[in-house]
Amino acid sequence: NAGVTQTPKFQVLKTGQSMTLQCAQDMNHNSMYWYRQDPGMGLRLIYYSASEGTTDKGEVPNGYNVSRLNKREFSLRLESAAPSQTSVYFCASSELGREAFFGQGTRLTVV
Amino acid sequence: TQLLEQSPQFLSIQEGENLTVYCNSSSVFSSLQWYRQEPGEGPVLLVTVVTGGEVKKLKRLTFQFGDARKDSSLHITAAQPGDTGLYLCAGERRTNDYKLSFGAGTTVTVRA
């Protein structure tokens, strides 16, 4: 079972470059999330999608955009990368009130 | 300021000792979840607690949800090196569209 698949696993960007992080889940979950994880900060919610066609800002949405392409896929886009966006990014999916399943993460470095 | 405050941030103990990790908030949660994360991996669910005062046991791990559903604790008895990892609590609230919010985590190191 694939679960939640994120690509790429590693990425280095120059300041000002753009990129899209891809996420797909095969568990038929309605809810999908994008988090970033920084040392000592835990997981901070960037964007959330409660269902196909809906998205909502989380705690730290500035500098990011998302697309819920269909029920399976939820992508995160950085339009103009900044060094402050250096982090590990996790995609997750769940049903309301139930276990969240996470991808393996994308380690992004912006130089 | 994070919605869920975890303490301590770091914990280093000898094999065989007990430890407790706390997760506190001023908000009421519909449920609280505890996750464990290994380096280079995503978090994996350990347990979900939904009822105020609920106690759940998972082998040597005991989880408690506060009566008012604002706080939780994780107690590990006779810790082993395999318990080493980052422990994260996460809560969801009906008033916040059930978005899952995480604490900053507690890094536990169990020395052999």
Side-chain angles (χ1 to χ4, degrees):
Chain A
N1 291 337
V4 178
T5 304
Q6 278 183 246
T7 56
K9 289 188 177 176
F10 300 94
Q11 183 72 49
V12 178
L13 290 178
K14 293 183 179 179
T15 297
Q17 286 186 317
S18 62
M19 79 161 294
T20 300
L21 280 64
Q22 307 287 352
C23 175
Q25 53 96 5
D26 62 3
M27 295 170 283
N28 204 37
H29 287 160
N30 282 299
S31 300
M32 295 188 74
Y33 308 78
W34 275 105
Y35 292 93
R36 60 177 287 173
Q37 186 171 36
D38 303 291
M41 304 290 288
L43 288 158
R44 291 184 292 169
L45 184 64
I46 305 172
Y47 268 94
Y48 168 65
S49 173
S51 61
E52 182 180 351
T54 68
T55 61
D56 195 11
K57 293 179 180 179
E59 305 166 60
V60 289
N62 292 344
Y64 305 96
N65 284 301
V66 290
S67 295
R68 185 72 182 268
L69 305 168
N70 47 55
K71 193 170 186 179
R72 289 187 66 247
E73 298 172 287
F74 189 37
S75 62
L76 178 72
R77 183 160 178 84
L78 287 70
E79 290 291 352
S80 179
S84 61
Q85 293 178 305
T86 293
S87 187
V88 181
Y89 291 84
F90 285 99
C91 176
S93 72
S94 75
E95 284 299 323
L96 287 179
R98 297 182 185 170
E99 176 179 4
F101 291 84
F102 286 82
Q104 288 203 302
T106 297
R107 188 172 294 273
L108 176 67
T109 302
V110 183
V111 297
Chain B
T1 304
Q2 293 195 256
L3 191 60
L4 286 162
E5 298 290 334
Q6 277 189 248
S7 62
Q9 187 176 358
F10 299 97
L11 198 53
S12 180
I13 61 170
Q14 202 69 31
E15 182 177 3
E17 293 181 338
N18 302 331
L19 68 96
T20 302
V21 176
Y22 299 94
C23 177
N24 296 297
S25 177
S26 57
S27 298
V28 175
F29 290 93
S30 304
S31 70
L32 265 178
Q33 301 174 0
W34 284 93
Y35 290 79
R36 182 162 166 263
Q37 185 178 17
E38 302 273 4
E41 301 289 331
V44 175
L45 182 73
L46 294 172
V47 79
T48 301
V49 285
V50 297
T51 306
E54 182 176 3
V55 177
K56 279 193 174 178
K57 292 193 175 183
L58 189 66
K59 296 183 181 178
R60 293 176 293 100
L61 278 62
T62 302
F63 304 85
Q64 187 161 6
F65 200 11
D67 291 340
R69 305 206 319 273
K70 293 183 179 181
D71 55 85
S72 182
S73 63
L74 156 61
H75 182 79
I76 301 179
T77 303
Q80 299 176 0
D83 295 324
T84 293
L86 177 65
Y87 289 83
L88 295 154
C89 67
E92 56 171 9
R93 296 177 295 160
R94 190 184 306 113
T95 54
N96 196 30
D97 295 328
Y98 295 100
K99 293 174 202 171
L100 201 58
S101 298
F102 281 81
T106 296
T107 300
V108 172
T109 303
V110 182
R111 305 184 304 275

